[in-house]
Amino acid sequence: MRLTNTIYKLSLIFLFACVCSISKAQEKGDVLIKNGTVLTITKGTLENTDVLIRDGKISKIGKGLKAPSGAREIDATGKYVMPGIIDAHSHIALSSINEATSPVTAEVWTGDALDPLDVSIYRALAGGVTISHALHGSANAIGGQSETIKHRYGTLDMDGLRMEGAPRTIKFALGENPTRVHGERSGIVPKTRMGVEAVFRSSFSEAKQYMEKWDTYNSAKGKKDFKGSAPEYNLRLETLADILRGNIVVHCHSYRADEIYMLMQVFKDFGIKKLVFQHVNEGFKVAPELAEFGAMASVFADWWDYKFEVYYSTAYNAAILTKNGVVTSINSDSGELIRHLYHEAAKTQKYGGLSDEEALKLITINPAKQLGIEDRVGSLEEGKDGDVAIFSAHPLSIYTVPLYTIVDGVVEFDRENDPADMRLYPDPEETIDVTLHEREDEDRCMDINDANYLLTDK
């Protein structure tokens, strides 16, 4: 009997947790931020200005605004208000990164591996980051589809993390990672850089034939006396066909200029236009070509020399790309760097002399463009999502401290009032393996499993 009552109580607790989780996932808030220095990114800097968020959207930016009933009010006098920071390359909030069983795994999706319990989400919020791109890893020439997430920390529902309406994206990879995983370890294509190109061309050729079969069937099936049958459905080819149709943005892991140029030629041959290069350490060598193609670049501020193909780069990379007209962002690819992307962006002022506005665009509106969500986030404008970060000083100052981070009008990080331990399910008996913990927050592009993770890197 006692056991039955216990099970009954646990069921009620679980049900309550689920209800709270769903409620949290759907939560939109009302906040009035008063009297701050507002860095809009797209419409200049507004002194002593208020930002009113209602039902999760920025409803008004101006002076002397009044808080509606029930809205939280934050005094931002002497503080700086900016759009929530966006990271276009991250692997936080994921329980799996790489499906490394084939050089082409376009059928998998990181959205199936979201982990809302990952405390890294809160750590990112503590750095003013409201959105990240939960990328598949770089073990495959054509990896899995990725998910754009909002940092709604506290929900237990993985659906609560998804950014509704965000365009579909997929991860590609060039160079040492796919050749090492498949060619060197398994003896299959690709083992060389030319093999990587061959994988792209053969995959898109096959997808083109698949798409044409379906197009022929769909145009004929409604006609009188049609007696044909539908082609066999194949999720991998369907995904590749959607790339050819322009329905998916490709984000490609890349380092060397020759490989970057190669992929642009492949995409030109197949009529693919939506392309964002990740890392792009030698992007400065082909900046005019990137701009001409319309490809965008998501780079590290000053991180290279961690393996042979990355031995050569420059901290001026982001500035050179920006000055050549390439839409450029600064990313983290790390659970540690994501906490201070504002400092990473500030490095472009020392290395390249970017203006405040140009530097802040690298972590706001530019990554929003790379994810196809710039009409909703990335700047402070009326009608956009209520995603905001408030800093103690200018966000590009080495002395600044994040104070509040707001997602959809809900305060998700409050430096003054949040508890010291923000884990959702802390285990007091947890054993921490420091040999893993040391690497946990670094790049997870090559994270296949725990054993391999110790042996492989970016």
Side-chain angles (χ1 to χ4, degrees):
M1 185 63 179
R2 182 176 295 174
L3 179 61
T4 303
N5 287 338
T6 300
I7 293 173
Y8 176 71
K9 289 177 181 177
L10 288 173
S11 299
L12 288 178
I13 292 171
F14 177 75
L15 179 62
F16 177 74
C18 289
V19 171
C20 290
S21 174
I22 293 171
S23 175
K24 169 76 177 176
Q26 298 173 344
E27 192 175 0
K28 308 287 184 184
D30 298 335
V31 178
L32 176 61
I33 304 164
K34 292 285 293 181
N35 205 35
T37 298
V38 178
L39 306 169
T40 69
I41 305 300
T42 52
K43 298 185 177 181
T45 299
L46 308 174
E47 303 288 349
N48 303 317
T49 298
D50 307 335
V51 178
L52 176 61
I53 302 171
R54 299 206 64 178
D55 195 26
K57 297 284 186 181
I58 299 173
S59 65
K60 191 72 176 177
I61 299 174
K63 296 180 183 293
L65 303 183
K66 302 295 183 185
S69 176
R72 178 170 177 174
E73 186 168 329
I74 297 174
D75 181 7
T77 303
K79 303 177 178 59
Y80 286 76
V81 181
M82 67 172 290
I85 294 169
I86 300 169
D87 188 352
H89 189 136
S90 169
H91 302 291
I92 67 168
L94 287 175
S95 58
S96 300
I97 308 299
N98 274 296
E99 176 54 53
T101 51
S102 167
V104 182
T105 59
E107 67 274 23
V108 304
W109 177 40
T110 62
D112 286 328
L114 294 179
D115 177 12
L117 304 182
D118 187 357
V119 73
S120 296
I121 302 170
Y122 181 75
R123 292 170 179 157
L125 285 164
V129 183
T130 54
I131 291 173
S132 61
H133 188 204
L135 273 170
H136 190 273
S138 53
N140 328 63
I142 299 178
Q145 297 175 71
S146 304
E147 179 82 313
T148 300
I149 62 173
K150 282 214 171 189
H151 295 165
R152 302 180 180 111
Y153 190 63
T155 180
L156 306 181
D157 177 9
M158 62 193 300
D159 287 338
L161 295 179
R162 307 187 199 281
M163 183 174 182
E164 312 83 357
R168 296 165 65 193
T169 62
I170 193 169
K171 182 72 174 291
F172 280 29
L174 308 172
E176 294 179 8
N177 288 3
T179 55
R180 182 169 69 240
V181 170
H182 300 288
E184 294 181 15
R185 291 183 183 175
S186 304
I188 61 174
V189 176
K191 189 172 184 178
T192 65
R193 298 176 189 278
M194 59 185 173
V196 173
E197 179 176 353
V199 169
F200 295 140
R201 291 190 178 278
S202 62
S203 297
F204 284 128
S205 295
E206 189 178 2
K208 189 176 180 182
Q209 293 176 11
Y210 173 87
M211 184 172 65
E212 290 171 349
K213 287 180 182 176
W214 271 99
D215 289 345
T216 300
Y217 167 75
N218 287 328
S219 63
K221 66 180 180 180
K223 296 179 180 177
K224 187 178 179 181
D225 299 328
F226 173 71
K227 295 182 179 179
S229 59
E232 182 179 359
Y233 182 81
N234 183 306
L235 180 55
R236 179 181 294 180
L237 293 176
E238 184 67 30
T239 304
L240 294 173
D242 276 342
I243 295 172
L244 295 171
R245 296 185 184 105
N247 296 332
I248 300 179
V249 184
V250 175
H251 286 252
C252 187
H253 166 104
S254 61
Y255 294 115
R256 286 180 18 177
D258 55 348
E259 294 184 315
I260 293 167
Y261 189 75
M262 173 274 290
L263 189 63
M264 288 191 289
Q265 302 312 307
V266 172
F267 275 32
K268 283 180 181 177
D269 290 345
F270 286 91
I272 303 168
K273 297 180 179 178
K274 295 182 177 179
L275 177 58
V276 180
F277 285 101
Q278 296 286 341
H279 303 319
V280 210
N281 285 54
E282 292 188 8
F284 64 95
K285 294 182 178 179
V286 288
E289 289 79 6
L290 287 165
E292 181 183 2
F293 183 92
M296 296 183 256
S298 181
V299 307
F300 294 133
D302 57 355
W303 192 11
W304 67 89
D305 198 24
Y306 41 80
K307 60 180 177 178
F308 187 74
E309 67 178 349
V310 203
Y311 78 97
Y312 184 53
S313 189
T314 171
Y316 290 86
N317 194 25
I320 292 172
L321 289 164
T322 297
K323 293 302 183 184
N324 276 275
V326 179
V327 175
T328 305
S329 71
I330 298 287
N331 69 54
S332 75
D333 193 8
S334 156
E336 193 281 319
L337 282 180
I338 197 173
R339 299 183 299 160
H340 51 90
L341 279 172
Y342 48 96
H343 283 158
E344 299 303 295
K347 292 174 181 176
T348 61
Q349 299 196 296
K350 177 177 177 60
Y351 302 105
L354 294 190
S355 67
D356 286 357
E357 185 175 285
E358 288 173 323
L360 288 174
K361 282 183 176 180
L362 298 173
I363 53 173
T364 54
I365 194 68
N366 285 2
K369 291 178 180 177
Q370 294 173 350
L371 299 178
I373 53 177
E374 71 274 17
D375 59 333
R376 291 177 53 187
V377 294
S379 62
L380 295 181
E381 299 179 55
E382 293 177 4
K384 284 197 167 185
D385 292 3
D387 294 1
V388 177
I390 302 176
F391 287 81
S392 62
H394 194 286
L396 296 175
S397 166
I398 193 66
Y399 300 108
T400 197
V401 176
L403 301 176
Y404 300 93
T405 304
I406 300 166
V407 179
D408 296 327
V410 178
V411 177
E412 297 281 2
F413 169 71
D414 182 338
R415 179 181 174 84
E416 184 69 23
N417 297 305
D418 284 352
D421 189 346
M422 287 295 293
R423 291 174 295 173
L424 297 181
Y425 278 111
D427 178 2
E429 297 182 354
E430 179 184 11
T431 300
I432 299 176
D433 184 338
V434 296
T435 60
L436 286 173
H437 188 70
E438 182 184 7
R439 303 286 297 276
E440 182 181 11
D441 285 338
E442 295 184 9
D443 171 75
R444 297 183 68 192
C445 272
M446 284 296 290
D447 183 0
I448 298 172
N449 55 51
D450 288 345
N452 280 338
Y453 184 41
L454 288 172
L455 301 174
T456 59
D457 206 344
K458 309 159 198 68

